[in-house]
Amino acid sequence: IAPANFALHVARYMHQYGIRPEHLAQVAVKNHHNAVTNPLAHLRFEVTVEQVLAAPRVVGPFGVLDCTPQSDGAAGLILAAAEVVDRYTDNPVWVRGWGLGLDRVMHQHKADMSTFPATTKAAAAAYAMAGIGPRDIDVAEVHDCFSGVELMNYEDLGFCERGGGGKLIESGDT
């Protein structure tokens, strides 16, 4: 199941880079804080680092407040050519780059459990197509199914150096 699968990754990541449970808790605190003003968020309540650390354990480094809810959501996107976009909106968003990355699912085939190569491959392709780099990104919504995965994604997307996810969440820049 997903919690156990990602717990293996995050436990290795924490061991390899000295990431502390408090770092994971800071991710949960930030995400809950951001949800409070979002009327479509599933969990609209504040939590503290202490509450996250004291929450009942799910698996490995994850407590209940480190985990995404098991619920459904949805999003919609209309892709339209520039010459017809005005039929749909007065305020289009232009896609400058995209990328796709694939990786193995089975842990025994992974060379490094502290990274998601599919993310790094997709990010590199998108950055190259758009002619930008991670430093050019002002806002990013990264995958946060589990608090530690978000830290790993900061690194895989190039927002900080390998092992720097803990320092980045501590800095408040996220």
Side-chain angles (χ1 to χ4, degrees):
I1 61 172
N5 175 42
F6 285 103
L8 292 171
H9 285 277
V10 173
R12 177 62 193 168
Y13 169 69
M14 292 174 76
H15 171 77
Q16 188 167 330
Y17 293 112
I19 301 297
R20 299 184 318 275
E22 291 81 6
H23 292 127
L24 276 61
Q26 289 170 346
V27 171
V29 168
K30 172 192 63 75
N31 291 346
H32 276 271
H33 175 75
N34 290 340
V36 168
T37 58
N38 180 350
L40 302 176
H42 291 278
L43 304 174
R44 297 182 61 207
F45 58 89
E46 300 268 3
V47 296
T48 66
V49 168
E50 295 75 24
Q51 288 172 313
V52 176
L53 294 174
R57 294 288 94 190
V58 175
V59 63
F62 303 141
V64 169
L65 296 173
D66 289 300
C67 302
T68 187
Q70 294 298 306
S71 54
D72 291 327
L77 174 69
I78 297 173
L79 293 175
E83 54 272 5
V84 298
V85 72
D86 59 343
R87 294 183 201 168
Y88 304 99
T89 182
D90 295 329
N91 190 20
V93 174
W94 302 105
V95 176
R96 292 176 52 192
W98 62 273
L100 173 67
L102 303 173
D103 191 24
R104 294 179 162 92
V105 176
M106 302 304 291
H107 294 125
Q108 67 268 27
H109 300 294
K110 292 181 177 269
D112 184 352
M113 291 288 288
S114 68
T115 183
F116 297 105
T119 303
T120 58
K121 291 174 192 171
Y127 292 146
M129 184 183 286
I132 65 170
R135 294 187 190 281
D136 298 308
I137 305 296
D138 293 325
V139 175
E141 184 175 342
V142 303
H143 186 57
D144 66 341
C145 58
F146 302 96
S147 54
V149 173
E150 183 170 321
L151 295 175
M152 294 170 69
N153 282 323
Y154 296 162
E155 298 170 22
D156 288 342
L157 293 168
F159 298 144
C160 61
E161 71 282 352
R162 189 69 50 206
K167 290 179 187 170
L168 186 59
I169 191 71
E170 281 179 350
S171 74
D173 287 341
T174 61

